[in-house]
Amino acid sequence: MNDPTRSRSPRIRAALAVAAVTGLGATALTALPAAAAGEAVTVQYRQSSTGGDQVEPWLKVVNTGASSVPLSQVKVRYYFKADAGASYTYACSWAVKGCANLTGTFGTPANPTATADRYLEIGFTAGAGSLAPGADTGDMQLRFHRSNWQSLNQSDDYSFGPDQTTYANWSKVTATVGGVPVWGTAPAGNEPTPTPTDPTTPPTDPPTGAALFDDFDYTGHTDPAINAHGWSVRSNSGGPGVPGATWAPENVTFAKEGTNSIMNLRSSTAGTGESTRHTEILTRASKFKNGTYAARVRFSDAPLSGPDGDRVVQTFFTINDLKAPMADDYAEYDFEYLPNGGWGEPANILYTTSWETYRPDPWEAVNQHSEVRASYAGWHDLVLTIDAATIVYYVDGQEFGRHDARYLPERPMSINFNQWLIDLAGQTSTTPRSYDQKVDYVLHVKDQVLTPAQVAAKVGAYRTAGTVFQDTVPAAQ
């Protein structure tokens, strides 16, 4: 994902973040609401660099409340003025909690100002643990730079404090807990608002409207209902992945697990291109655009048998075709889990990526991505929402990434799941091994942005009614 020389045509599955931003507006200050009872944090800040080619905000989060705070619920935002035409890259130099347990994503405020038309949002994985009352995270030595390493200017950045050479409370960096503002003063018009985060408490009335729902209740890959319901189980050759590999429809199977029907994608190899089997299922129609996409997917870290280490990619995504290199009407939105790393990553990582366009040769990509370096083995609820302004990704009811309007789709897309191997360099053994990716259901609701709780409610309503398939989404015009 971080190798700009790597091409995966005809289907590109990796991400090279190229998030250009420009500055707009004027600035003022507005205070955030008070913290919830018993739940409060402050953010301490010091700067480690006043100029040059990197911004170095060093941060600590302190629990000043009366109860323990799970760090996975905490988000911290550092606001800055982007240099004209620049894209940015985040890095963590060192952290007491471990850099692998921190995430860094860039976003655009709802109301850009003269000193804040961009922000770096820091989040935490479950591995960061919790903060007891009075405890702090310790040092988080963070940095970010222009992706081309050109010099940058911090003097007009909202959150920058040139005189902050030792840690102290800093109100120009904001924090939320579970989506609720608890610290700091955001630039005018950008105050966070509470968002639903509990997928187990659905609203009383599930949303209605044009939708695709499939519980994957089929007998096998040759079941006529698969074709009748608009799906294609891939058998044609080609990329992405290991050259010479076969896309094996027979490795897409269906079974009951408890009361639910489950689709299983099994990919395998014995260390050669000829022995490698990839799997993919996709809608034949490209008719899905704005709205909500959701699936419950089980990722796996280890093979069923044989040696581990293959650079496997397990996915849920939407895509349309690239009509020409750098065509601006291309669109793609990915959940990609790499259990054994790849694309320059040494270990497991989950990416979400929003694509504007790309050129396969010479390689050039325009996209924005978010990532968490942690194991995601097991079942996960994946939700993607696209409206006229924003692309938002959720994992297990929590916001995972929020991407800019520049990556919104211009044309409808198909819905896809696949599992494939990037290459055979991760494990060179010729001992056979196979990997499973399971899917419980897929849902698309046209032109409606649903919360994860509303997704759970709608899926529950389908199952209560005994509905295993529905497609009322009209053909693309």
Side-chain angles (χ1 to χ4, degrees):
M1 168 139 333
N2 297 311
D3 181 358
T5 67
R6 177 183 37 74
S7 170
R8 293 177 296 159
S9 60
R11 275 220 177 131
I12 304 301
R13 299 259 52 83
L16 169 69
V18 184
V21 288
T22 56
L24 299 168
T27 186
L29 304 181
T30 304
L32 293 176
E39 194 174 72
V41 302
T42 62
V43 180
Q44 296 185 350
Y45 159 81
R46 59 158 295 193
Q47 59 83 7
S48 180
S49 173
T50 58
D53 58 7
Q54 291 194 91
V55 179
E56 297 184 28
W58 290 14
L59 303 174
K60 289 182 182 179
V61 177
V62 184
N63 183 358
T64 56
S67 58
S68 181
V69 175
L71 281 170
S72 62
Q73 298 288 313
V74 176
K75 300 285 188 183
V76 175
R77 286 187 179 180
Y78 180 97
Y79 297 87
F80 63 98
K81 169 71 181 301
D83 296 285
S87 62
Y88 291 86
T89 299
Y90 157 81
C92 172
S93 298
W94 185 78
V96 172
K97 290 292 184 180
C99 284
N101 292 319
L102 273 62
T103 64
T105 58
F106 294 98
T108 301
N111 295 284
T113 73
T115 60
D117 59 14
R118 197 77 167 146
Y119 60 77
L120 170 65
E121 182 172 87
I122 302 301
F124 301 85
T125 72
S130 298
L131 284 184
D136 65 65
T137 58
D139 275 2
M140 296 186 291
Q141 297 180 7
L142 313 176
R143 56 190 172 89
F144 63 91
H145 56 83
R146 293 181 62 165
S147 298
N148 59 10
W149 282 102
Q150 291 184 8
S151 60
L152 47 74
N153 175 31
Q154 295 189 68
S155 63
D156 56 356
D157 290 353
Y158 176 82
S159 295
F160 178 55
D163 299 326
Q164 288 292 117
T165 56
T166 59
Y167 278 113
N169 289 352
W170 192 246
S171 63
K172 289 190 174 183
V173 175
T174 62
T176 60
V177 177
V180 177
V182 296
W183 173 259
T185 302
N190 296 289
E191 299 76 23
T193 55
T195 55
T197 59
D198 183 2
T200 66
T201 309
T204 303
D205 299 315
T208 60
L212 165 71
F213 173 74
D214 202 330
D215 217 9
F216 295 113
D217 191 6
Y218 302 108
T219 60
H221 75 282
T222 59
D223 189 332
I226 293 179
N227 183 70
H229 291 169
W231 294 101
S232 175
V233 183
R234 183 177 176 182
S235 60
N236 60 296
S237 62
V242 175
T246 298
W247 293 85
E250 67 274 12
N251 286 0
V252 178
T253 59
F254 303 87
K256 290 287 187 181
E257 290 192 5
T259 60
N260 290 348
S261 52
I262 301 296
M263 177 172 67
N264 192 74
L265 283 68
R266 179 165 295 176
S267 296
S268 60
T269 190
T272 65
E274 294 73 17
S275 68
T276 302
R277 300 290 183 267
H278 295 156
T279 45
E280 180 168 19
I281 185 170
L282 63 153
T283 61
R284 294 194 309 277
S286 293
K287 63 177 183 177
F288 309 98
K289 193 179 176 188
N290 287 11
T292 299
Y293 300 80
R296 183 165 173 78
V297 178
R298 186 183 186 277
F299 298 127
S300 58
D301 280 353
L304 299 177
S305 61
D308 197 1
D310 289 295
R311 294 167 178 168
V312 181
V313 185
Q314 301 170 350
T315 76
F316 166 44
F317 62 100
T318 70
I319 192 172
N320 60 29
D321 58 322
L322 182 73
K323 293 187 176 297
M326 302 303 286
D328 61 6
D329 63 348
Y330 177 73
E332 180 181 349
Y333 306 94
D334 303 329
F335 289 91
E336 294 177 305
Y337 180 55
L338 282 61
N340 294 315
W343 304 328
E345 292 291 334
N348 37 28
I349 185 168
L350 177 64
Y351 289 106
T352 60
T353 310
S354 302
W355 288 78
E356 169 62 17
T357 190
Y358 71 95
R359 177 174 57 210
D361 186 21
W363 176 252
E364 182 178 358
V366 182
N367 57 42
Q368 185 176 2
H369 79 270
S370 306
E371 76 279 338
V372 170
R373 293 169 177 84
S375 172
Y376 278 84
W379 285 103
H380 296 283
D381 295 304
L382 310 178
V383 176
L384 159 68
T385 65
I386 303 172
D387 61 18
T390 311
I391 304 142
V392 185
Y393 297 85
Y394 299 89
V395 177
D396 298 330
Q398 302 298 315
E399 186 175 314
F400 187 95
R402 181 178 293 264
H403 296 166
D404 302 347
R406 69 174 57 234
Y407 305 101
L408 293 171
E410 288 85 7
R411 291 189 290 121
M413 302 166 288
S414 62
I415 296 175
N416 306 244
F417 299 89
N418 66 17
Q419 183 181 215
W420 50 282
L421 278 66
I422 297 171
D423 52 38
L424 297 172
Q427 172 54 260
T428 58
S429 170
T430 57
T431 301
R433 60 270 188 189
S434 60
Y435 297 83
D436 280 2
Q437 173 187 340
K438 297 182 178 182
V439 183
D440 184 10
Y441 69 84
V442 67
L443 172 70
H444 170 71
V445 180
K446 177 179 169 60
D447 295 332
Q448 293 187 45
V449 171
L450 274 59
T451 66
Q454 289 174 311
V455 167
K458 193 164 184 69
V459 172
Y462 279 124
R463 288 179 164 167
T464 298
T467 302
V468 297
F469 176 81
Q470 180 190 73
D471 185 3
T472 58
V473 179
Q477 300 300 311

